């Protein structure tokens, strides 16, 4: 697997965000030859909704970024495009525990010019799907999203 970059302050991937989830993202290829993002994370007490369960908004954020990052597969630390969420539907199936390393997976399912769609899941340690999502994303250049360069955002691959 190839590790994808993280940033400084993103809630999902930010390495300097004390309240963040600190998700680590990797690129892989499925047995069917489809590019896929693998996300690994461990929820902390400040990510809690109900006691000992991850908040649904945090779950949604992880799925959103996991799917959205699939557009960057193969682009390394200098992505040419970014996925901006246009629509996201999440289905919560099982409680997501805190304090346990979990995995999410996301992939592009439809890709047309400036729009792409994707699916993603969060898996419990036993392989059960805890939550799933389908999203639609607009493909944009960074300068259309923010007035910053990737290096100013801390966008780089950090060691695990």
């Amino acid at each position: 697997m190839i590790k994808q970059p993280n940033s400084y302050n993103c809630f999902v991937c930010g390495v300097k965000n004390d309240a963040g989830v600190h998700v680590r993202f990797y690129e892989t290829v499925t047995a069917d030859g489809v590019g896929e993002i693998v996300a690994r994370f461990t929820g902390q007490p400040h990510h809690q909704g109900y006691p000992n369960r991850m908040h649904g908004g945090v779950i949604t954020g992880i799925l959103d970024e996991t799917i959205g990052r699939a557009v960057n597969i193969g682009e390394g630390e200098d992505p040419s495009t970014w996925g901006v969420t246009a629509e996201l539907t999440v289905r919560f199936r099982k409680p997501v525990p805190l304090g346990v390393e979990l995995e999410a997976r996301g992939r592009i399912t439809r890709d047309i010019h400036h729009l792409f769609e994707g699916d993603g899941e969060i898996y419990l340690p036993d392989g059960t799907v805890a939550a799933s999502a389908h999203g639609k994303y607009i493909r944009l250049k960074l300068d259309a999203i923010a007035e910053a360069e990737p290096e100013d955002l801390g966008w780089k691959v950090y060691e695990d």
Side-chain angles (χ1 to χ4, degrees):
M1 286 194 289
I2 299 168
K3 192 159 191 301
Q4 278 199 336
N6 286 57
S7 70
Y8 288 146
N9 294 310
C10 174
F11 176 73
V12 175
C13 78
V15 296
K16 292 185 176 182
N17 187 332
D18 293 337
V21 192
H22 301 224
V23 179
R24 300 164 331 273
F25 293 95
Y26 306 86
E27 300 174 11
T28 191
V29 178
T30 67
D32 298 334
V34 175
E36 189 171 64
I37 296 295
V38 175
R40 295 203 171 119
F41 61 95
T42 303
Q44 302 302 315
H46 53 272
H47 302 129
Q48 177 174 289
Y50 291 108
N52 300 311
R53 296 181 178 183
M54 187 174 281
H55 190 281
V58 177
I59 293 166
T60 300
I62 293 167
L63 285 165
D64 180 31
E65 188 159 345
T66 302
I67 299 166
R69 278 176 171 259
V71 75
N72 299 126
I73 290 176
E75 294 188 344
E77 292 184 27
D78 190 23
S80 62
T81 58
W82 299 67
V84 176
T85 312
E87 181 179 302
L88 187 69
T89 303
V90 180
R91 182 167 182 213
F92 301 96
R93 300 165 185 258
K94 301 278 184 183
V96 176
L98 301 173
V100 176
E101 185 174 65
L102 299 173
E103 183 175 284
R105 290 183 170 259
R107 74 216 56 81
I108 293 175
T109 56
R110 184 172 182 226
D111 195 356
I112 51 172
H113 196 54
H114 291 296
L115 178 76
F116 66 94
E117 295 181 29
D119 292 332
E121 307 80 30
I122 291 178
Y123 295 91
L124 298 175
D126 68 1
T128 302
V129 174
S132 60
H134 177 80
K136 295 180 182 180
Y137 298 79
I138 300 167
R139 188 185 309 261
L140 292 173
K141 303 284 185 204
L142 182 58
D143 62 1
I145 303 167
E147 294 179 11
E149 293 297 321
E151 56 272 5
D152 296 336
L153 303 172
W155 185 257
K156 68 177 194 171
V157 174
Y158 295 87
E159 289 188 36
D160 286 341

